[in-house]
Amino acid sequence: MTALVAGMGTTLPSAYAGGTIKADEDKWISIGMGIRSSFNSQEGAAGGHYSNDFKIDNARIYINGQIHKYVKFTFNTDCFNCNVGAGGTQFGGNSNIGLLDAIGKFEINERVNLWVGRTLVPSERGELNGPFYHATFDGFRTPFNPADFSGNFPSGPNGAGPGTGGQAGLYGRDNGAVFFGKIHPFGTHLLYVASVFTGARGGPNNTGSLLYAGRLQWNLLNDEDNPGYYTSGTYYGTAGDIFAISGNVIHQKDGAGDFVTGNRSDFTGATVDLLVEKLIPNNMGVFTFNAEFKRYWANYGVGAFAAPAPGCAFCIFNGHSWTVYGLYLIPQEVGIGRFQPYLRFTSIDPLYSALRQEWEYGLNYIISGHNARVSVYGRYGDIETKGFVNTFGPGASGNKVDSFHVALQLQY
């Protein structure tokens, strides 16, 4: 008991949120939390009237632990319906708290590691950042991956499924196994990840085909220190100069389209992403640049969109998209934090639907890195009005509209 109480005063490395209860060097458990909330106001599709609402975007509990020198675990929860809303009620589906991660970790050394359970599918940096480690408050602005539909999470309003076009992109988890490690050729840092997951079930996939995903991340300057194969969108200069280029491929046989109509296909996705972070000499601040290009192949044909209710279960994005954004962290403190203005552009070009684009401009107030941040930002574009999730079929239309947002992020 004395050891446990004494251990509560210690903290883990920054890779894990929360405080630690430590039994000995090889046995400990940490508990943390994270919340993200926002105020959102969007112009109506026909102009004029603005919608206004407050949302709880995430409410998470983090539990990490180690029971052996080489054996660890992670157990995380989230509030899946907090930002969904249910028939106009205030607390959206009673704001269900559920399982987000359940990972058994066999971490032998830097080069050889195996995670098994429910975890993030290794894809582009945007998904691997998760909502709390993006450089901007809402980082998920390009089309989503199959894992955003396949991890037994509620995808549409009240968990109605991806065919309703609801809450994909928030989780990116699936059940499977991930093998990863890091080597350092010629003084650089190369992270490799190979994985297999359950993938899409039902819908077009009635044969039990698995989903395969792999990723390579090459840091030419300083390394990035994150748990496992996870990433961050910025380090606010604490990691020094970074130049990291990465690529990933995801594939699943019969992973897209609709089985009932016969309009189905294999799914293959390829992404290239880039992170550049530069400390400007003479303590003149930090410049951060993120870029991502996606090309998805899901050639199920337009007939899939005519599937009977509840609609096409896995009409996943087919086409290409890209986003770029730059941020500048001002070095001088104002009050308890520093300001970070930024600008972002996103373009989504589906094969079966209309082009949609968006500008985003904003200002982050960085109090304690990713642990305490306030964001104020605006958008102008037609991504929301033409449909952002699972609405990449013929006939999509919508005007460009303005929206304004104020957001808070806290975690420990």
Side-chain angles (χ1 to χ4, degrees):
M1 180 62 69
T2 301
L4 291 176
V5 173
M8 293 182 69
T10 67
T11 58
L12 287 176
S14 59
Y16 295 95
T20 307
I21 302 173
K22 191 172 184 180
D24 57 42
E25 290 300 320
D26 293 331
K27 297 181 180 67
W28 52 261
I29 188 170
S30 71
I31 301 175
M33 55 75 66
I35 59 170
R36 299 169 73 247
S37 62
S38 60
F39 170 78
N40 307 273
S41 179
Q42 180 171 307
E43 182 182 8
H49 176 73
Y50 278 75
S51 64
N52 298 285
D53 65 82
F54 288 91
K55 291 168 43 177
I56 301 298
D57 296 272
N58 296 94
R60 295 186 172 182
I61 298 173
Y62 309 125
I63 302 176
N64 289 278
Q66 178 171 305
I67 56 178
H68 182 272
K69 180 179 180 181
Y70 301 122
V71 182
K72 302 176 183 178
F73 66 87
T74 288
F75 179 84
N76 298 328
T77 68
D78 202 354
C79 182
F80 295 136
N81 290 328
C82 277
N83 62 349
V84 172
T89 61
Q90 184 178 0
F91 296 112
N94 202 29
S95 304
N96 298 332
I97 299 291
L99 177 66
L100 182 68
D101 297 293
I103 315 168
K105 302 178 177 181
F106 300 89
E107 300 185 349
I108 309 305
N109 54 48
E110 187 179 39
R111 298 180 299 277
V112 180
N113 301 275
L114 176 66
W115 288 8
V116 181
R118 177 174 293 180
T119 184
L120 277 169
V121 174
S123 54
E124 77 275 7
R125 182 177 290 267
E127 289 261 352
L128 295 178
N129 291 343
F132 283 86
Y133 289 89
H134 270 289
T136 60
F137 183 81
D138 184 2
F140 303 108
R141 302 307 294 171
T142 56
F144 304 132
N145 297 307
D148 296 310
F149 302 102
S150 63
N152 300 322
F153 297 111
S155 295
N158 303 315
T164 62
Q167 288 301 113
L170 296 180
Y171 309 115
R173 267 74 172 176
D174 203 348
N175 302 324
V178 184
F179 180 77
F180 64 93
K182 186 180 292 185
I183 58 177
H184 305 276
F186 309 108
T188 63
H189 315 281
L190 182 64
L191 173 71
Y192 66 88
V193 191
S195 64
V196 58
F197 288 89
T198 300
R201 282 293 182 267
N205 182 16
N206 66 337
T207 60
S209 300
L210 296 172
L211 181 144
Y212 302 91
R215 175 177 169 85
L216 287 175
Q217 177 180 306
W218 194 13
N219 286 68
L220 300 178
L221 300 177
N222 289 339
D223 199 5
E224 300 178 59
D225 183 17
N226 294 301
Y229 54 94
Y230 294 172
T231 61
S232 292
T234 178
Y235 298 89
Y236 306 107
T238 60
D241 293 342
I242 293 176
F243 187 99
I245 186 167
S246 309
N248 88 276
V249 176
I250 301 175
H251 178 77
Q252 183 176 21
K253 179 177 173 57
D254 295 332
D258 178 71
F259 176 75
V260 175
T261 64
N263 293 273
R264 63 176 179 173
S265 72
D266 298 346
F267 171 81
T268 302
T271 306
V272 176
D273 58 76
L274 176 69
L275 170 64
V276 178
E277 189 150 281
K278 175 64 179 176
L279 278 67
I280 302 174
N282 302 318
N283 194 30
M284 293 297 291
V286 181
F287 172 74
T288 304
F289 176 79
N290 276 272
E292 171 197 290
F293 176 82
K294 285 183 178 179
R295 178 63 174 97
Y296 284 0
W297 293 268
N299 299 311
Y300 40 75
V302 295
F305 294 98
C312 178
F314 290 93
C315 282
I316 294 171
F317 174 73
N318 182 15
H320 70 267
S321 66
W322 57 278
T323 185
V324 293
Y325 47 112
L327 310 93
Y328 173 63
L329 182 62
I330 299 171
Q332 291 78 21
E333 279 198 356
V334 178
I336 60 174
R338 293 181 289 172
F339 286 107
Q340 184 188 49
Y342 72 88
L343 184 66
R344 180 176 187 176
F345 179 76
T346 302
S347 178
I348 302 174
D349 192 1
L351 181 64
Y352 303 134
S353 190
L355 173 71
R356 52 212 78 184
Q357 296 180 326
E358 178 184 83
W359 285 98
E360 179 176 323
Y361 51 91
L363 183 68
N364 296 325
Y365 185 57
I366 310 302
I367 301 170
S368 180
H370 295 290
N371 292 335
R373 180 176 71 185
V374 179
S375 301
V376 179
Y377 60 98
R379 289 176 174 148
Y380 178 72
D382 55 5
I383 287 182
E384 296 289 348
T385 57
K386 286 183 178 175
F388 187 36
V389 181
N390 211 52
T391 54
F392 297 115
S397 62
N399 297 327
K400 293 184 182 294
V401 297
D402 286 301
S403 65
F404 302 96
H405 313 262
V406 181
L408 170 67
Q409 173 172 309
L410 298 174
Q411 67 174 343
Y412 176 73

